[in-house]
Amino acid sequence: MRAGLVQITATDDPAANLPVTVAFVREAAAMGAEFVLTPEVTNIISTSRKHQQRVLHHEADDPSLAALCAEAKALGIWLLIGSLALKTDGADGRFANRSFMIAPSGEIVARYDKIHMFDVEIDATESYRESAGYRPGTRAVLAEADFAKIGMTICYDMRFANLYRRLAHAGAQILTVPAAFSPVTGKAHWESLLRARAIETGCFVFAPAQCGSHGDKRSTHGHSLVVSPWGEVLADGGGVPGVTLVDFDLKDVERSRARVPSLTHDREFEGP
């Protein structure tokens, strides 16, 4: 099977980002991808909560979601919308960072709200407090596609290995990690963490990413990755927008787990 990872440099204008994303999705499908994935916050990257309040929508009337569902149906592909920033009905006004699995029928088959919020101070000039604008999710999600069981995660989730092991024990064969990763931590940890998650679960990892400069002092690492269940990097999207294609065989999941069956070796233990 062939997958296509879409890498973009989103702006703070969802209306401008959508045609760029759609064009890359069509390009991936035209090159034979049956499973296409976009990055985290496909619709917008903005540090202004006031601006987001003006331009974002609730899920039911979000133009990006409607257009991408229609595109999946028109192209007959499975489409992971890495995530969309969406309004919620929460009393505190925080948004949702929500990933969607779309079937070739155009129907939403699974939703996942990012659980772990990126609240960090990387250095004197780069800090983030995602929880100030986004409410964390509370539920792990395993999507059922006709070709695989897919564990849905987003970006900072990748630092929490227990989430991925839970998904693997539930039957996941593919783990999706759409991201908008910091350049500093991306250079240090991006590939290492994704390879670790693949190795310890025996799953394929698909990680479509944002890249480049988004204005307002925000940049992202890029390097969309596909990692095999054995921990090999099968594809790297580099640092510019585009489509990265990879052919994969789900039998590699069985082969890797047979060689090192660590998912069957969990034991209860005491302490500390």
Side-chain angles (χ1 to χ4, degrees), residues 3-25:
L5 278 64
V6 171
Q7 184 162 287
I8 62 174
T9 306
T11 71
D12 65 359
D13 182 357
N17 295 328
L18 179 58
V20 175
T21 302
V22 167
F24 281 140
V25 169

Side-chain angles (χ1 to χ4, degrees), residues 190-208:
W190 171 249
E191 182 178 318
S192 297
L193 285 168
L194 293 173
R195 292 182 69 191
R197 298 297 84 86
I199 292 166
E200 65 201 12
T201 62
C203 290
F204 280 98
V205 171
F206 291 84

